[in-house]
Amino acid sequence: MTAPSGIDIEPLRTILQMECQRHYADSVVIGGLDKYLRRWAKETTDKIGSAQLLAHFHALQLAEPGYAEWNTEKRKEWVEGVLGWLGQIEAATGAAPATEGGASGMSTTHSPDGDAELDSPVTIVKGITTNLASKLVRLGVNTVRDLVYLFPRRHLDYSQRKSIAELEVDEEQTVVATVWEARAARLGNQRGTEVIVGDETGNIRAVWFNQPYLAKTFRTNARLVLSGRVTAFKRQMVFESPEWELIEDKELVHTGRLVPVYPLTRGLYTRQVRNLVKRVVDSWAWRVTDFLPQEIRTRCQLLGLPEAIVQAHYPDSHSMKAEARKRLAFDELFVLQLGVLSKKRDWQETQPGNAFSIDTGIVNRFVNSLPFTLTGAQQRVLREIFADLKEPKAMMRLLQGEVGSGKTVVATSALLVAAGNGYQGALMAPTEILAEQHFRTICQLLSRKNDGGDEQGNVRGYDGVLSRPVTIALLVGSLSEKEKEALHQRIQEGDIDIVIGTHALIQKGVEFWKLGLAVIDEQHRFGVLQRSILRQKGFNPHLLVMTATPIPRTLALTLHGDLDLSVIDELPPGRQMIRTRWLEPELRGRAYDFLRRQVAAGQQAFVVCPLIEESESIEAKAAVAEYDRLSKEVFPDLRLGLLHGRMPASDKENIMQSFRDGTLDVLVSTPVVEVGIDVPNATVMLVEAADRFGLSQLHQFRGRVGRGEEQSYCLLLAENPSPEGRERLKSIEETDDGFKLAEKDLELRGPGEFFGTRQSGLPDLRMARLSDVPLLELARKEAIALSGSDPGLKMPQHYLLAREVARVWQSGGEWS
Ligand code: ADP
Ligand code: MG
């Protein structure tokens, strides 16, 4: 690109400089500056050769300003911004030619392109020493931008100004008064400061404990602002340790307004951080270029970015604070969506997928062989999946279904379709126990149409399902090296049609001959990275991820916006509601009695031991101890089995087998039974230390029972639950709706913990509330429209936005 040339800079510069001298009264141009600018922009836009300068041009809203409506402060900042931009144009025309999209010589030295400087370390700010910077790091603040974006946790409302006579006890209020007397004083047995201030309506005392030095700060006759609560002491009102501020010419920072409360860390003080952020925001916020296209900003009625940042810190009013939050939250959600959508585009549109033909013969034969009929929801979801598989682009679908809704048969049908098309299919589960169970279930389902297969080992073949024998294998970490190698070999040669396994599936040695469909079960246990490694084992295979952790639709679309959504919203008929009870510790004996009675009636029970996050081996030891205790002291007459993640696979399999066969009455286990285990004769789920689990997890445990005809029960024990723990236990007792529980869980734990930020690979959301459905929808709608009209954000007016998406997603971690 050549340098912009032939742009008439001087007249505009002169006008703006005059505007500046006339205190931004919009009095320089007859008819107003807006009109002039519109004409000027029309003549100029096409002449701006550099993408960066053009982006700035749009960011400054030069084509469509609203100067007439702005207040003086906004006008001032805008004029300064435009003058800076004009300087850049001049530099580009005069000296170094600007290159496409890149920073040319002009942005290296001092430049009005404040945006680049925003990513400098905080130490470039005057007064921030390396010592102070090292404290700020603890708040996650490294760059100037981080500091500008260090939003307060909340605001104190000190905006209620009163005269001294109007003050009321116990309310947050502000007075502006004159200091009559200030002295260091003994307050009880502490040293502190005492002042008497007054206004035309009266006098009041204010005291600060432990801060005798303050007395010197408050000189007699100084004007002082006090904000805080007033208490009554011996029928006299007093301000106790109020926020204070001397009236100088400056804006109030600590009093008299909505005052921000920032996160602090050791060695940082409230007033210090407030002063620092105020100073930095005042001088830097206006340099943040607004990356949102003007059109979107107008349509969604959003504040400009610098304005929003300023108002988020020091709002003029409650409504401005809300406006600021809306804008900043929109940004987070919008950028999140754009990133997610561009991933989807990469997968689906830039690489061709494999179109399958759907052989209804195969599907019907399989479905008809099942011992039950599919529910309406299962049938609908299958149709949705088949419609995707037929397309020559990769399916990317999330299948949500309540615990026990029957996702496995749906997945199996899809895997058979893949096999019928001559492709391989893979099903990945988070634990060996679950992978083994899937293997056995699917083998069982297929063997119904089988004319005798090999019923042993980790590879099995079945006739009568496809027109040729179909081969199914189990690949888990605990196989011997020799078995694994043999299996790797057969997978690579295409000798295996369907592989079921754990993480072992995505290890290096595993190469598929022709992977056409990857299914991931219980996807919340996997990160985005693992999902994408499995995909990369094939040439753009179809992807189906399944979860029993249901989240509200809008939220699912936002967070998994790269996936299309199918929901099984219907349980197979005949399922009973599970009775759930949270028992106080002293009722433990009753819980055991109850369990014993159920066993006597021919049922079986689970006992889940506490979650121990530090290590799986400690968790295993705890389970062993609990197993010993229960089998020796509590249930010596019952048949107990033990299951934990550290056992050799063959032992696990034996135990599960015995439990399924009914030769064990009680299965004592670590929380590994959380996902997927299916033993219809089990009717009691007893969870120890239930308060330590998240709601969704408790719901999963509960889903292990109630799979047969009998009434089932979930008993929750908790020694000494915290208030939040109590709230969770109450919720799970009262609700059996997985969606409602997931929502509640989200609310109680926040999105970070709920999704496991480390795993999710999603960028942080700081201002956005995931409960704000209208805003979620708005951001998603705008993101979809924009990705449609400018896929890849290639247009010059979207240059800044593209850069922001790249910036945010880069720090968002493991997104592949
Ligand atoms: P989840 O969705 O939790 O993974 P599963 O696939 O394990 O559920 O299914 C739970 C149980 O319900 C299994 O025993 C399965 O065979 C059974 N099942 C699945 N679909 C139906 C149906 N339509 N009618 C009756 N039982 C079904
Ligand atoms: Mg399942």
Side-chain angles (χ1 to χ4, degrees):
M1 278 284 158
T2 51
S5 55
I7 300 180
D8 216 358
I9 293 173
E10 275 322 309
L12 180 57
R13 179 155 29 205
T14 310
I15 288 171
L16 293 179
Q17 281 164 347
M18 284 171 69
E19 207 23 52
C20 195
Q21 283 154 14
R22 296 196 192 169
H23 302 290
Y24 312 99
D26 200 5
S27 62
V28 177
V29 188
I30 297 167
L33 195 52
D34 285 321
K35 202 167 136 201
Y36 177 86
L37 281 164
R38 237 170 256 132
R39 201 170 30 168
W40 185 85
K42 214 187 230 158
E43 291 164 8
T44 311
T45 319
D46 295 340
K47 299 181 192 163
I48 305 169
S50 136
Q52 196 172 13
L53 286 172
L54 192 58
H56 247 104
F57 171 87
H58 288 293
L60 288 163
Q61 314 173 26
L62 270 160
E64 217 177 318
Y67 197 79
E69 285 122 56
W70 296 339
N71 63 19
T72 310
E73 193 167 12
K74 179 107 195 263
R75 288 179 178 182
K76 172 166 176 282
E77 298 304 336
W78 180 84
V79 167
E80 282 166 10
V82 177
L83 286 170
W85 180 77
L86 290 174
Q88 285 183 36
I89 293 216
E90 197 170 39
T93 323
T99 45
E100 170 77 37
S104 64
M106 67 191 177
S107 60
T108 48
T109 53
H110 175 78
S111 100
D113 180 9
D115 218 24
E117 283 182 292
L118 275 167
D119 291 314
S120 313
V122 280
T123 43
I124 70 161
V125 175
K126 234 179 35 206
I128 300 192
T129 59
T130 45
N131 180 16
L132 179 53
S134 71
K135 290 173 190 161
L136 290 170
V137 168
R138 281 188 244 138
L139 297 177
V141 172
N142 294 293
T143 63
V144 178
R145 185 192 301 276
D146 295 337
L147 197 51
V148 170
Y149 272 82
L150 179 72
F151 293 117
R153 291 184 194 289
R154 62 196 172 92
H155 289 89
L156 298 169
D157 188 353
Y158 291 152
S159 61
Q160 295 312 308
R161 191 154 153 206
K162 299 265 179 77
S163 65
I164 290 177
E166 289 167 337
L167 286 174
E168 282 169 56
V169 170
D170 250 12
E171 265 179 41
E172 299 210 315
Q173 43 210 331
T174 293
V175 297
V176 179
T178 305
V179 176
W180 299 137
E181 189 191 354
R183 58 190 186 92
R186 287 209 76 82
L187 304 163
N189 49 11
Q190 291 178 44
R191 271 154 50 78
T193 291
E194 178 182 57
V195 296
I196 307 291
V197 299
D199 64 10
E200 56 283 1
T201 67
N203 297 336
I204 189 167
R205 200 164 73 100
V207 296
W208 289 265
F209 298 97
N210 293 322
Q211 301 182 56
Y213 52 87
L214 277 184
K216 289 203 190 71
T217 314
F218 305 143
R219 261 176 266 107
T220 306
N221 287 329
R223 298 280 287 158
L224 182 63
V225 189
L226 299 175
S227 285
R229 275 175 204 281
V230 177
T231 52
F233 181 70
K234 289 186 186 158
R235 297 185 52 220
Q236 267 202 325
M237 290 213 269
V238 57
F239 267 112
E240 259 185 55
S241 301
E243 290 280 355
W244 59 269
E245 202 156 13
L246 287 166
I247 294 199
E248 292 157 347
D249 280 342
K250 287 186 312 190
E251 212 182 320
L252 293 176
V253 173
H254 308 286
T255 59
R257 61 185 307 159
L258 289 173
V259 173
V261 179
Y262 291 101
L264 293 177
T265 174
R266 196 156 33 85
L268 286 178
Y269 304 97
T270 306
R271 290 177 73 93
Q272 173 192 24
V273 174
R274 246 182 234 148
N275 285 329
L276 177 64
V277 176
K278 180 82 175 88
R279 192 155 59 81
V280 170
V281 167
D282 280 351
S283 55
W284 289 83
W286 303 101
R287 300 200 220 177
V288 177
T289 36
D290 197 333
F291 52 81
L292 267 195
Q294 176 63 46
E295 206 189 307
I296 294 182
R297 220 186 304 159
T298 313
R299 191 166 45 234
C300 302
Q301 300 182 311
L302 298 168
L303 289 185
L305 184 52
E307 176 85 23
I309 291 172
V310 170
Q311 293 292 333
H313 287 281
Y314 284 91
D316 290 341
S317 63
H318 287 286
S319 68
M320 279 312 279
K321 179 179 154 182
E323 287 296 315
R325 174 177 274 282
K326 177 180 169 195
R327 162 67 209 251
L328 296 164
F330 180 89
D331 284 1
E332 289 176 350
L333 296 170
F334 184 60
V335 167
L336 176 94
Q337 281 301 280
L338 286 172
V340 156
L341 291 171
S342 95
K343 282 301 143 198
K344 182 174 186 182
R345 214 183 118 256
D346 283 355
W347 283 116
Q348 289 198 323
E349 269 146 52
T350 58
Q351 315 170 36
N354 313 302
F356 291 172
S357 63
I358 309 298
D359 184 338
T360 44
I362 294 178
V363 178
N364 287 341
R365 209 156 5 153
F366 172 66
V367 169
N368 293 335
S369 76
L370 297 171
F372 44 74
T373 38
L374 295 184
T375 61
Q378 282 170 316
Q379 290 175 24
R380 188 193 65 234
V381 161
L382 261 182
R383 280 197 299 274
E384 289 167 358
I385 291 172
F386 290 160
D388 283 359
L389 294 178
K390 275 198 281 203
E391 294 294 320
K393 66 179 182 184
M395 169 170 77
M396 295 183 72
R397 189 164 282 279
L398 174 66
L399 174 55
Q400 280 193 354
E402 176 71 278
V403 191
S405 61
K407 296 184 287 293
T408 317
V409 283
V410 170
T412 308
S413 309
L415 287 165
L416 287 176
V417 167
N421 277 266
Y423 283 88
Q424 290 172 299
L427 169 58
M428 184 161 76
T431 63
E432 280 198 12
I433 293 173
L434 189 54
E436 279 155 15
Q437 179 180 282
H438 278 325
F439 179 63
R440 109 189 331 274
T441 311
I442 292 176
C443 286
Q444 242 167 32
L445 292 175
L446 296 181
S447 66
R448 293 175 178 278
K449 274 283 159 200
N450 188 29
D451 321 323
D454 167 18
E455 280 308 313
Q456 288 303 309
N458 63 322
V459 180
R460 297 180 196 175
Y462 296 96
D463 298 323
V465 184
L466 306 180
S467 52
R468 60 182 171 83
V470 54
T471 312
I472 311 217
L474 174 69
L475 176 57
V476 289
S478 60
L479 293 180
S480 74
E481 283 307 312
K482 231 175 88 196
E483 284 171 311
K484 265 190 257 182
E485 255 163 54
L487 199 50
H488 290 176
Q489 180 83 23
R490 292 182 71 177
I491 293 172
Q492 188 165 9
E493 286 168 0
D495 189 25
I496 308 282
D497 295 299
I498 298 173
V499 196
I500 296 159
T502 53
H503 294 80
L505 280 177
I506 52 173
Q507 301 310 309
K508 272 228 178 62
V510 185
E511 305 272 353
F512 284 82
W513 171 67
K514 206 175 165 192
L515 180 63
L517 170 64
V519 182
I520 297 178
D521 194 19
E522 307 295 346
Q523 73 97 33
H524 66 286
R525 291 298 203 86
F526 292 104
V528 176
L529 183 63
Q530 290 156 323
R531 187 210 284 178
S532 107
I533 295 177
L534 181 58
R535 290 189 58 130
Q536 280 160 8
K537 296 270 175 191
F539 182 73
N540 214 20
H542 295 290
L543 178 73
L544 178 67
V545 299
M546 308 198 292
T547 182
T549 304
I551 52 175
R553 186 175 183 90
T554 314
L555 192 52
L557 289 175
T558 299
L559 296 172
H560 308 295
D562 53 332
L563 303 171
D564 298 303
L565 186 60
S566 286
V567 182
I568 307 187
D569 50 5
E570 180 185 354
L571 288 178
R575 291 281 159 80
Q576 307 233 4
M577 176 158 169
I578 298 155
R579 299 226 174 103
T580 304
R581 266 198 79 189
W582 160 29
L583 302 167
E584 297 292 339
E586 59 272 18
L587 294 180
R588 172 181 297 276
R590 288 232 212 135
Y592 290 151
D593 291 344
F594 181 79
L595 191 155
R596 185 190 297 282
R597 281 203 301 280
Q598 286 284 308
V599 170
Q603 306 297 324
Q604 292 165 281
F606 292 98
V607 175
V608 174
C609 302
L611 174 74
I612 300 174
E613 267 163 356
E614 295 84 68
S615 106
E616 203 186 340
S617 68
I618 303 180
E619 196 168 78
K621 272 188 209 144
V624 172
E626 177 68 359
Y627 168 76
D628 284 343
R629 190 183 72 84
L630 288 174
S631 40
K632 289 192 187 115
E633 296 167 23
V634 186
F635 303 121
D637 49 329
L638 303 185
R639 298 165 301 173
L640 271 62
L642 170 68
L643 187 70
H644 63 71
R646 280 301 175 94
M647 289 166 33
S650 54
D651 291 6
K652 275 192 249 179
E653 182 47 25
N654 286 339
I655 292 286
M656 278 310 297
Q657 186 61 45
S658 316
F659 192 59
R660 265 191 295 261
D661 291 347
T663 50
L664 290 175
D665 302 313
V666 182
L667 186 66
V668 180
S669 105
T670 52
V672 289
V673 293
E674 175 193 344
V675 282
I677 304 292
D678 187 30
V679 180
N681 192 48
T683 53
V684 182
M685 165 59 68
L686 189 153
V687 183
E688 288 284 350
D691 54 319
R692 296 213 215 143
F693 294 101
L695 274 178
S696 299
Q697 225 177 341
L698 289 172
H699 185 59
Q700 293 276 329
F701 287 136
R702 181 164 61 182
R704 299 304 114 226
V705 295
R707 306 195 138 226
E709 311 277 278
E710 302 299 324
Q711 175 63 51
S712 294
Y713 306 87
C714 178
L715 307 177
L716 306 166
L717 288 166
E719 283 304 320
N720 190 15
S722 66
E724 299 91 74
R726 288 178 167 275
E727 195 165 342
R728 280 201 297 274
L729 292 168
K730 245 189 9 237
S731 307
I732 191 92
E733 241 188 338
E734 286 164 5
T735 321
D736 68 337
D737 180 328
F739 276 86
K740 288 212 184 95
L741 287 170
E743 253 173 283
K744 183 84 186 169
D745 207 13
L746 191 61
E747 181 193 310
L748 287 176
R749 288 198 291 168
E753 258 188 85
F754 183 83
F755 296 105
T757 2
R758 196 175 48 78
Q759 282 225 325
S760 72
L762 297 168
D764 255 7
L765 297 177
R766 293 197 253 178
M767 294 301 255
R769 294 199 195 93
L770 292 174
S771 52
D772 188 348
V773 173
L775 196 64
L776 286 172
E777 274 168 359
L778 185 65
R780 181 163 163 83
K781 198 177 94 199
E782 290 293 342
I784 289 172
L786 188 62
S787 318
S789 65
D790 181 16
L793 303 180
K794 298 274 192 313
M795 295 180 186
Q797 63 268 40
H798 300 146
Y799 167 80
L800 289 171
L801 181 58
R803 203 177 60 169
E804 180 69 8
V805 174
R807 197 178 63 74
V808 169
W809 276 96
Q810 195 180 38
S811 58
E814 42 180 45
W815 190 266
S816 63

